Amino acid sequence: MKVTVIGTGYVGLVTGACLAEMGNHVVCLDVDERKIRVLQDGGIPIHEPGLDVIVQRNVAVGRLQFTTDVAAAVAHGTLQFIGVGTPPDEDGSADLQHVLAAARSIGAHMTDYKIIVDKSTVPVGTADRVREAVRGELQRRGMEVEFAVVSNPEFLKEGAAVGDFMRPDRIIVGADDERAVLLMRALYASFTRNHDRLQIMDVRSAEFTKYAANAMLATRISFMNELAQLAEKVGADIDMVRRGIGSDPRIGTHFLYAGAGYGGSCFPKDVKALVRTGQEHGVKLRVLEAVEEANEQQKHVLGKKVVARFGEDLAGRTFALWGLAFKPDTDDMREAPSLVVIADLVRRGARVQAYDPVATEQARLALGDVAGVSFADSAQAALSGADALVIVTEWREFRSPDFDAIRAALKQPVVIDGRNLFEPALVKAHGLEYFAIGRANAVPLKT
Ligand SMILES: NC(=O)c1ccc[n+]([C@@H]2O[C@H](COP(=O)([O-])OP(=O)(O)OC[C@H]3O[C@@H](n4cnc5c(N)ncnc54)[C@H](O)[C@@H]3O)[C@@H](O)[C@H]2O)c1
Ligand SMILES: O=c1ccn([C@@H]2O[C@H](COP(=O)(O)OP(=O)(O)O[C@H]3O[C@H](CO)[C@@H](O)[C@H](O)[C@H]3O)[C@@H](O)[C@H]2O)c(=O)[nH]1
């Protein structure tokens, strides 16, 4: 099939590459000339495991192309995927300016039947606005061309995006147009065994499903983070509790890890946007408001633990910080908890020596010229001359460290772990003080 993907970010590039991998002919369009140049030159502008191989393979055989030429891109695909960003507006609602601009681009250039597929995460009712935007452009040109607007939200996780796209738990298609449903079924047949993972529903339910999924996952995390605080007070270990409750299939084992708060480009903005949608319709989403508030607090927990151990005034102190990206296996710094931890430490006069396997460049951009932050080339180098180690992101290379080397490098034998990576007894056996999240058998936070 001929497919155009508008927006070549984490979602657009993965969508384009994976659809090409299945034999479709894909043109990816972006307004960011630098990004397109990198892709045309054989590079990948983001860190996403396994994506480079697929992109290169499909470019080589001519099934995947990159362009900034809107007219050529729109002319190419019968299916026009919109995968542009929907960042939060000032009031928390999703900013649809890029989605509507993409819709207008399609309307301004289309000359034959198109299925316009909203893959971006967009509030309920957006498909109607996309339809109006396309229609407006067609009217302006004095043209009548048939088209359908379909909702097909994306559920991939960064760091595992290729696997998630190629082997999806489900594909949601919201459509009220027979011809569009037929083509969407055909497009996704190769990704879903016997169609059992393809769910066709009405457009509004599909749009809502995406927010409901992220809101549910974020709720689990904030719930566990709040219980973690209580576990420290009552002398329990949240990791034991996690295992205990996760074995009940009604609860399940995934997304129950207490930590330094959830970040990324999706949970924070999507929870806010759903709360906002509720407000617009007079429905107060109390649970989600609390989820959001709990997460804002949680991002300060590591800073609080540092203060509890070293005091309010951190002038003259240096902290090694392992992990900058909002999660492992990505270079994405959007809403990363590390940004809050760093701000909490430098505000009190501390210096931070940070190390991340891939996100250093993005972190530099996200932090701007914050004084007191330097970047190390390795986890061990970040420890040199530091008072203590703070772990924010659970990259695999941090999971089994040389504890003796950590102890030797640090001025004080203190590890503050925001991801509960280690057995407390093991860390303590190496002569280190160990502070973790919700684990009373690690040294508890004094109040
Ligand atoms: N990142 C994820 O893991 C993820 C997963 C599922 C859904 N989503 C949703 O998918 C959407 C895209 O997210 P992302 O992380 O890929 O964003 P991104 O910021 O990485 O990429 C968006 C791209 O769209 C381009 N763009 C903006 N306006 C354009 C226009 N008018 N024409 C062409 N290109 C344009 C930008 O230059 C950018 O390259 C969002 O709605 C997001 O909520 C993201
Ligand atoms: O038990 C857990 C699981 C995750 N997190 C944190 O939650 C955030 C989000 O993690 P994850 O969901 O793995 O990454 P994303 O790439 O943001 O993916 C989410 O957001 C995407 C964009 O909407 C959706 O497509 C995915 O299904 C959804 O998982 C990260 O900061 C994680 O550290 C926890 O604190 N505890």
Side-chain angles (χ1 to χ4, degrees):
M1 256 180 247
K2 285 186 167 183
V3 178
T4 296
V5 181
I6 304 180
T8 312
Y10 289 86
V11 163
L13 185 54
V14 171
T15 300
C18 292
L19 290 177
E21 178 77 356
M22 289 300 194
N24 299 290
H25 283 83
V26 181
V27 169
C28 288
L29 169 75
D30 207 288
V31 287
D32 184 338
E33 288 176 8
R34 189 200 58 86
K35 210 174 248 188
I36 293 299
R37 208 172 316 118
V38 168
L39 287 160
Q40 286 171 338
D41 290 348
I44 302 281
I46 54 172
H47 177 87
E48 187 56 56
L51 184 58
D52 50 353
V53 180
I54 297 187
V55 169
Q56 280 149 18
R57 182 163 52 232
N58 286 282
V59 166
V61 296
R63 277 199 303 265
L64 182 60
Q65 288 171 282
F66 302 100
T67 185
T68 54
D69 183 339
V70 182
V74 172
H76 173 78
T78 304
L79 290 156
Q80 302 272 319
F81 279 79
I82 300 181
V84 300
T86 47
D89 222 335
E90 275 160 20
D91 61 3
S93 62
D95 179 351
L96 291 179
Q97 62 165 312
H98 303 300
V99 169
L100 296 177
R104 284 194 297 274
S105 297
I106 298 169
H109 293 95
M110 64 190 270
T111 52
D112 57 359
Y113 177 72
K114 302 286 183 202
I115 298 173
I116 299 164
V117 186
D118 287 341
K119 200 159 229 345
S120 298
T121 302
V122 290
V124 177
T126 301
D128 294 337
R129 296 184 62 184
V130 165
R131 193 173 294 112
E132 279 163 30
V134 175
R135 219 173 257 148
E137 283 302 309
L138 287 172
Q139 273 164 5
R140 196 181 53 76
R141 292 162 62 207
M143 289 190 67
E144 256 185 54
V145 187
E146 247 190 285
F147 67 95
V149 181
V150 166
S151 167
N152 172 219
E154 179 51 54
F155 296 93
L156 65 78
K157 300 180 292 298
E158 289 182 22
V162 172
D164 285 348
F165 196 96
M166 297 301 266
R167 293 177 297 282
D169 294 323
R170 73 324 210 167
I171 293 171
I172 303 282
V173 171
D176 43 24
D177 175 306
E178 286 288 314
R179 186 168 167 191
V181 169
L182 213 63
L183 272 169
M184 292 300 284
R185 273 192 198 284
L187 180 76
Y188 280 125
S190 46
F191 294 88
T192 56
R193 284 178 301 255
N194 305 324
H195 295 266
D196 60 349
R197 300 198 173 193
L198 184 67
Q199 298 181 28
I200 309 284
M201 57 180 77
D202 65 278
V203 175
R204 283 176 177 247
S205 300
E207 290 172 333
F208 203 164
T209 299
K210 173 63 195 177
Y211 283 98
N214 277 359
M216 172 66 90
L217 294 169
T219 301
R220 287 168 71 94
I221 298 169
S222 275
F223 178 78
M224 291 305 284
N225 283 338
E226 283 201 325
L227 290 195
Q229 288 180 28
L230 185 57
E232 285 179 23
K233 305 283 184 196
V234 299
D237 182 336
I238 196 67
D239 210 47
M240 296 294 164
V241 176
R242 175 184 64 76
R243 286 182 221 178
I245 63 173
S247 50
D248 182 334
R250 291 172 302 174
I251 296 174
T253 53
H254 297 293
F255 272 76
L256 287 180
Y257 289 88
Y262 62 74
S265 67
C266 295
F267 288 175
K269 89 169 163 61
D270 294 348
V271 169
K272 280 191 193 81
L274 192 51
V275 167
R276 183 74 199 137
T277 302
Q279 285 164 358
E280 284 164 9
H281 291 83
V283 178
K284 191 167 169 58
L285 299 178
R286 293 183 185 82
V287 173
L288 281 187
E289 284 177 12
V291 165
E292 153 92 0
E293 193 191 326
N295 194 56
E296 288 306 309
Q297 295 295 321
Q298 195 67 17
K299 287 185 173 180
H300 294 286
V301 157
L302 289 177
K304 284 185 186 160
K305 285 180 187 287
V306 169
V307 167
R309 173 61 180 76
F310 291 95
E312 295 277 345
D313 182 7
L314 300 177
R317 303 264 184 211
T318 299
F319 294 93
L321 188 140
W322 283 3
L324 289 159
F326 84 95
K327 64 181 279 191
D329 290 322
T330 182
D331 59 348
D332 200 338
M333 285 296 298
R334 289 178 283 187
E335 304 276 345
S338 65
L339 296 170
V340 176
V341 178
I342 289 171
D344 284 350
L345 299 183
V346 299
R347 185 157 35 83
R348 295 175 188 280
R351 296 186 60 77
V352 173
Q353 292 175 174
Y355 168 70
D356 189 284
V358 305
T360 304
E361 282 319 305
Q362 290 304 318
R364 276 188 215 279
L365 293 173
L367 284 161
D369 51 5
V370 175
V373 184
S374 59
F375 299 94
D377 290 336
S378 69
Q380 187 63 30
L383 299 170
S384 170
D387 288 274
L389 167 63
V390 180
I391 302 174
V392 187
T393 314
E394 68 276 31
W395 284 93
R396 271 194 293 277
E397 67 172 81
F398 304 153
R399 285 182 181 271
S400 189
D402 180 340
F403 289 112
D404 293 330
I406 292 177
R407 180 152 186 241
L410 293 175
K411 285 196 209 152
Q412 309 211 31
V414 177
V415 174
I416 300 174
D417 175 5
R419 297 292 168 188
N420 289 349
L421 294 186
F422 315 122
E423 274 308 316
L426 178 71
V427 188
K428 285 194 254 180
H430 285 272
L432 288 156
E433 275 177 63
Y434 184 49
F435 299 82
I437 306 288
R439 310 182 83 180
N441 54 349
V443 184
L445 177 60
K446 292 190 192 74
T447 48

